[in-house]
Amino acid sequence: MASLMETKEIFRNADAVCFDVDSTVIREEGIDELAKFCGVGDAVAEMTRRAMGGTVTFKAALTARLGLIRPSYEQVQKLISDNPPELTPGIRELVNRLHQRGVQVFLVSGGFQSIVEHVALQLNIPTANVFANRLKFYFNGEYAGFDETQPTAESGGKGKVIAHLKQQFQFKKVVMIGDGATDMEACPPADCFIGFGGNVIRKQVKEKAKWYITHFDELLKELEER
């Protein structure tokens, strides 16, 4: 993993920046909010803590949590309309600045496509730049599982997305920013990882990340100074 100085230099010269979404770009964990909305919040929050700590595989945790929630199409849409995700302070300004510099911005999330696309629209990020998990529903709107073929549905999936982006767009320098173990393990193939603790601090990530920030202003400042 790159040193602090190298990480800052890569960030300043990045072709693309990939953000995790839950507890990074937005303040909440989308799956926990959906669980609360569906009345199984406590049980699912405990599973999320274990998954983010890296003690169980992501796919196993996702399968178990969704098996408890079993959200309908209507519940997912109502969650987005009644309790829209709250953007983390500073993210809008940071994404705008990256766009002004010609940097491609991607949202790479273990969360759900419908919620992440809603976030992308608020940040002027094209939906083609969203990589997330797709929920499946029966014709009557009942929960029918999730698309297990999506790379983001399993541990190591974010790294697969980044490898795909580098191959497709010939990016030389790609940065991954996030709060969890699944974000940190995406480096490599990401050229550097920046840990984010503005909403929740994961001990393992804080200890291992060469650059750990608690506010997006720290990244904006780095761009403005150079």
Side-chain angles (χ1 to χ4, degrees), residues 55-77:
T55 55
V56 293
T57 69
F58 185 82
K59 193 179 223 171
L62 184 62
T63 304
R65 289 180 290 178
L66 283 171
L68 267 179
I69 305 169
R70 301 193 65 77
S72 68
Y73 177 80
E74 188 182 353
Q75 283 173 317
V76 174
Q77 297 308 310

Side-chain angles (χ1 to χ4, degrees), residues 76 80 107 109-120 127-135 150 152:
V76 174
I80 294 168
L107 299 181
S109 172
F112 306 124
Q113 188 88 14
S114 48
I115 296 173
V116 178
E117 284 185 352
H118 175 82
V119 173
T127 52
N129 288 17
V130 168
F131 293 84
N133 287 315
R134 296 177 185 275
L135 294 170
Q150 293 295 318
T152 49

Side-chain angles (χ1 to χ4, degrees), residues 71-92:
S72 68
Y73 177 80
E74 188 182 353
Q75 283 173 317
V76 174
Q77 297 308 310
K78 194 161 170 50
L79 171 69
I80 294 168
S81 61
D82 292 6
N83 299 299
E86 184 186 350
L87 292 176
T88 300
I91 187 62
R92 198 188 293 276

Side-chain angles (χ1 to χ4, degrees), residues 27-219:
R27 304 204 70 145
E28 345 35 22
E29 283 289 324
I31 195 162
D32 288 351
E33 295 306 304
L34 185 58
K36 277 188 240 170
F37 198 74
C38 297
V40 288
D42 291 346
V44 170
E46 178 53 36
M47 285 183 182
T48 298
R49 273 194 292 276
R50 290 209 303 274
M52 294 307 286
T55 55
V56 293
T57 69
F58 185 82
K59 193 179 223 171
L62 184 62
T63 304
R65 289 180 290 178
L66 283 171
L68 267 179
I69 305 169
R70 301 193 65 77
S72 68
Y73 177 80
E74 188 182 353
Q75 283 173 317
V76 174
Q77 297 308 310
K78 194 161 170 50
L79 171 69
I80 294 168
S81 61
D82 292 6
N83 299 299
E86 184 186 350
L87 292 176
T88 300
I91 187 62
R92 198 188 293 276
E93 294 80 1
L94 177 58
V95 170
N96 284 346
R97 188 76 186 97
L98 289 168
H99 281 157
Q100 285 166 10
R101 290 167 68 97
V103 179
Q104 288 250 36
V105 178
F106 296 87
L107 299 181
V108 185
S109 172
F112 306 124
Q113 188 88 14
S114 48
I115 296 173
V116 178
E117 284 185 352
H118 175 82
V119 173
L121 286 170
Q122 293 181 72
L123 296 172
N124 296 315
I125 295 169
T127 52
N129 288 17
V130 168
F131 293 84
N133 287 315
R134 296 177 185 275
L135 294 170
K136 297 196 291 193
F137 303 99
Y138 292 112
F139 68 94
N140 63 355
E142 286 182 7
Y143 174 68
F146 63 95
D147 182 354
E148 298 192 22
T149 66
Q150 293 295 318
T152 49
E154 57 190 329
S155 300
K158 292 181 181 182
K160 286 181 185 168
V161 170
I162 290 170
H164 161 75
L165 292 175
K166 286 181 112 172
Q167 187 178 14
Q168 184 179 357
F169 297 106
Q170 302 298 304
F171 292 138
K172 297 284 185 287
K173 290 181 175 152
V174 179
V175 178
M176 180 72 210
I177 301 172
D179 67 290
T182 59
D183 308 309
M184 189 163 58
E185 70 182 12
C187 177
D191 298 279
C192 74
F193 167 70
I194 300 169
F196 183 72
N199 294 310
V200 61
I201 291 175
R202 319 272 181 203
K203 186 169 176 280
Q204 178 193 12
V205 176
K206 187 177 182 184
E207 286 172 356
K208 291 187 179 176
K210 292 290 191 298
W211 192 9
Y212 193 80
I213 63 167
T214 54
H215 201 289
F216 287 123
D217 281 357
E218 294 171 66
L219 298 183

Side-chain angles (χ1 to χ4, degrees), residues 1-20:
M1 203 184 276
S3 69
L4 174 60
M5 213 151 71
E6 287 167 338
T7 299
K8 289 187 172 186
E9 188 181 347
I10 291 167
F11 174 67
R12 288 194 303 271
N13 296 291
D15 306 300
V17 176
C18 298
F19 288 93
D20 171 48

